[in-house]
Amino acid sequence: MDAGTLIVTLRTIAVSGVATALSILVGVPLGYILARRRFTGRTILLGFINTGMGMPPVVVGLIVWLLLIRSGPFGGLELIYTPTAMVLAQFVLATPIVIGFTTASFQSLSPQLSDLLRVLGAGRVRMLWLLAWETRLGLLAGVMAAFGAIVSEVGASMIVGGNLERSTRVLTTAIVTETSRGEVERALALGVMLFALSLAVNVLLTVVQQRNRP
Amino acid sequence: MTDIRFEDVRFRRDGRDVLSIPSLHIKADRVTAILGPNGAGKTTLLRLIAALDRPHNGRVLVGGDIADTARRSVSLAFQKEVFLRRSLLENLMLGLTIRGADRGEARDRAMAALRLLDIDALAEKRVDQISGGEGRRASLARALCLHAPVLLLDEPMAGLDGSTYARLLDELPGLVGHSGATAVVVTHNPEEAFRLCDDIVILVNGRVRAAGAKREVATNPQFRDVAEILGYTVVNVSGRLVAIPDGALTLAAGPTELAATVDTVLDVAHEWHVIASIGPTRVHIRVPRSEAPPQSGAGIHLSARVKYEVS
């Protein structure tokens, strides 16, 4: 593997890894609240979130691009064509997936379980942690689905990142570039790299998920 | 020395009062049964003490503190036992570590509770691998190991089969007594209440119908519903409602004679079962096989050894 491929691979891990981590931080608590609270409009909201789980990356990319370009409302932040912009777009793609899986997972737990934990004296954070661990099969499935979706998307990264060789080129956009240049062998090598990365992450998470299988 | 007080408590669900208790004192260091039919609000009462629900009106005091702030002095064994998907030992240790014990101490106390209930051999088993009776024991062990000043048991005997039931009913008074806690036991079975408890609170439709030491509550029921919950037969005698204790209604002469008409005679192995009418009330009478069966439609005289008038 040459230095260029290595850098692109590491950048892919960094961008999609940070986006996934942020989507967990935001999505798990939101999914937990959606699973436990009853309020008007909840079902409609869940419907939107479930739709969000399958949003076309190109459209999300376009919207984030419109927000971040110079003339856009957040143009002053000068984030367009940076890895941060890519993280942002991927975060928007990943979060509904995490929320959807989290809500379904927590709802599958017995409602008595939270009563039990309250009686035992668990506070809010501890309760969330214990219940999350209890339903980690579903939660980690959500994390894998989210990471899998954003590490393999091209459209959003291309639009908001700009596929700049030195700063925003990731494995998927690199494959598009090499293929259009006729460098099929390099494109294939990058494809293998992407596949290996995805496999490694998923095997790791699956091991955690299935350990002491509930 | 932790007592429980209900002051002007009302709890609503779906716009309906499910519990309405102007005043109730559950005494410290005694075992109190909450006795009542299904849907009387017994579990709701426990949930208010455990601060799982908040009253819409009034307050529940545990040892003088609002139930919400006294949560850690309460432990509750749910009617339908629920566990985390971990080993039995870890399930018991969890509550102890949440309440501040270090892991070593938690392990010791959890094991002691498992031994007390004779299920220490199951300590490393996952909870989905144990039987229903063992699950009930595990649930009790978890409630007991916390050594909380207030111990709440919701139908601890429900759903157990014959021999398991008999064995636990034998053991439970000792276990509860040994805990030294102020105990509240919810049940719909008067026999369990008498066996387990010092005091009885009778709850019907979310209201306290009788409360006090079990002898007082049990020997002179004032109301028809209370008498029926305690296992009395309530019959109408010349326009008065009379409560007769279980087994005190027999054929033949006795202190009080009641005239009845035989409706049905059932043949059951060792005795005749006679269903008779006294006014609009129908009663069951058991007659030894040594006597001839009364004829259907015949008038008979019943005697009640003890009776109480109720309203």
Side-chain angles (χ1 to χ4, degrees):
Chain A
M1 185 177 12
D2 59 64
T5 309
L6 181 66
I7 288 172
V8 167
T9 304
L10 291 176
R11 186 180 296 134
T12 304
I13 295 172
V15 168
S16 295
V18 170
T20 306
L22 289 175
S23 70
I24 293 168
L25 280 178
V26 172
V28 171
L30 282 180
Y32 177 68
I33 290 168
L34 272 172
R36 292 169 54 92
R37 294 280 162 80
R38 295 284 171 271
F39 51 87
T40 43
R42 175 180 173 274
T43 309
I44 303 289
L45 183 59
L46 272 176
F48 273 99
I49 285 163
N50 288 334
T51 308
M53 291 172 80
M55 264 190 299
V58 170
V59 177
V60 171
L62 177 61
I63 293 165
V64 174
W65 182 81
L66 283 169
L67 293 172
L68 294 184
I69 48 170
R70 279 280 160 79
S71 54
F74 300 104
L77 298 174
E78 298 190 352
L79 289 177
I80 194 69
Y81 307 132
T82 64
T84 308
M86 296 163 74
V87 167
L88 194 64
Q90 294 195 353
F91 167 77
V92 173
L93 285 168
T95 304
I97 299 175
V98 173
I99 294 178
F101 272 85
T102 305
T103 306
S105 300
F106 279 120
Q107 274 195 272
S108 72
L109 289 176
S110 158
Q112 273 212 299
L113 211 47
S114 48
D115 278 348
L116 170 74
L117 295 175
R118 273 169 75 193
V119 165
L120 293 177
R124 273 172 202 213
V125 176
R126 189 157 203 159
M127 175 113 75
L128 172 58
W129 171 249
L130 287 166
L131 292 176
W133 183 249
E134 190 70 7
T135 186
R136 63 190 182 281
L137 266 179
L139 292 188
L140 286 170
V143 172
M144 285 187 253
F147 182 80
I150 59 177
V151 82
S152 62
E153 69 76 34
V154 197
S157 296
M158 192 70 98
I159 295 178
V160 305
N163 193 24
L164 306 174
E165 190 178 353
R166 287 172 180 282
S167 61
T168 61
R169 180 163 297 170
V170 288
L171 283 169
T172 50
T173 56
I175 291 169
V176 173
T177 310
E178 298 300 343
T179 307
S180 64
R181 279 182 190 156
E183 300 269 3
V184 178
E185 263 180 50
R186 274 191 61 80
L188 265 177
L190 289 163
V192 169
M193 213 45 229
L194 180 59
F195 181 73
L197 170 61
S198 197
L199 186 69
V201 169
N202 280 300
V203 165
L204 183 75
L205 289 174
T206 307
V207 168
V208 175
Q209 183 193 41
Q210 300 291 327
R211 199 177 42 179
N212 305 321
R213 188 157 50 93
Chain B
M1 299 296 279
T2 310
D3 64 346
I4 301 159
R5 278 178 193 279
F6 282 67
E7 295 179 351
D8 208 13
V9 168
R10 275 167 68 168
F11 184 79
R12 268 189 289 278
R13 191 177 294 127
D14 303 327
R16 198 173 65 88
D17 270 358
V18 288
L19 209 60
S20 176
I21 303 181
S23 164
L24 175 67
H25 184 209
I26 295 173
K27 295 195 184 74
D29 304 330
R30 288 171 74 85
V31 183
T32 302
I34 309 295
L35 185 62
N38 290 334
K42 305 188 295 289
T43 297
T44 305
L45 188 145
L46 279 199
R47 290 178 63 88
L48 290 174
I49 300 172
L52 287 173
D53 289 318
R54 283 199 191 107
H56 293 102
N57 193 43
R59 51 187 199 162
V60 179
L61 299 173
V62 176
D65 296 318
I66 297 283
D68 250 338
T69 60
R71 194 171 269 151
R72 291 198 173 190
S73 41
V74 175
S75 76
L76 167 62
F78 291 89
Q79 177 175 4
K80 185 169 165 284
E81 56 262 26
V82 55
F83 295 97
L84 294 167
R85 286 179 282 215
R86 304 174 178 206
S87 76
L88 192 49
L89 181 62
E90 282 179 273
N91 264 285
L92 263 68
M93 287 171 63
L94 180 67
L96 289 160
T97 48
I98 288 176
R99 291 189 181 199
D102 64 51
R103 281 191 70 80
E105 185 195 349
R107 171 176 286 270
D108 291 346
R109 279 167 62 181
M111 280 309 294
L114 290 173
R115 269 194 299 275
L116 199 62
L117 279 132
D118 204 20
I119 45 171
D120 46 324
L122 305 175
E124 299 301 334
K125 282 235 181 188
R126 288 260 307 274
V127 174
D128 47 17
Q129 298 170 323
I130 66 179
S131 74
E134 289 163 350
R136 187 57 52 84
R137 285 175 170 272
S139 184
L140 287 170
R142 178 172 55 199
L144 287 167
C145 77
L146 296 172
H147 296 180
V150 174
L151 176 65
L152 309 175
L153 306 178
D154 193 356
E155 295 277 6
M157 311 293 298
L160 295 178
D161 60 44
S163 61
T164 320
Y165 179 91
R167 197 169 149 219
L168 196 56
L169 191 58
D170 264 350
E171 289 175 41
L172 206 50
L175 291 169
V176 173
H178 181 259
S179 77
T182 302
V184 183
V185 184
V186 158
T187 177
H188 62 273
N189 180 335
E191 192 190 327
E192 278 172 33
F194 295 138
R195 285 282 294 276
L196 297 173
C197 301
D198 308 310
D199 297 335
I200 290 181
V201 173
I202 291 184
L203 203 62
V204 182
N205 284 331
R207 285 169 170 75
V208 174
R209 297 288 279 164
K214 69 177 164 190
R215 187 178 298 273
E216 292 161 29
V217 172
T219 52
N220 194 2
Q222 299 294 307
F223 303 106
R224 178 185 189 139
D225 49 4
V226 173
E228 281 173 344
I229 288 161
L230 289 167
Y232 286 77
T233 301
V234 178
V235 295
N236 193 321
V237 181
S238 329
R240 296 173 305 149
L241 285 178
V242 176
I244 301 163
D246 188 32
L249 194 66
T250 52
L251 274 180
T256 309
E257 292 245 325
L258 309 171
T261 316
V262 174
D263 290 339
T264 322
V265 182
L266 304 171
D267 182 2
V268 184
H270 302 292
E271 51 197 8
W272 302 104
H273 273 236
V274 178
I275 300 167
S277 300
I278 306 171
T281 312
R282 283 155 66 88
V283 293
H284 260 269
I285 308 139
R286 289 191 290 269
V287 185
R289 280 303 279 261
S290 53
E291 292 184 24
Q295 294 300 304
S296 182
I300 51 170
H301 285 276
L302 304 175
S303 78
R305 283 202 299 278
V306 189
K307 69 175 178 70
Y308 304 99
E309 268 192 62
V310 296
S311 55

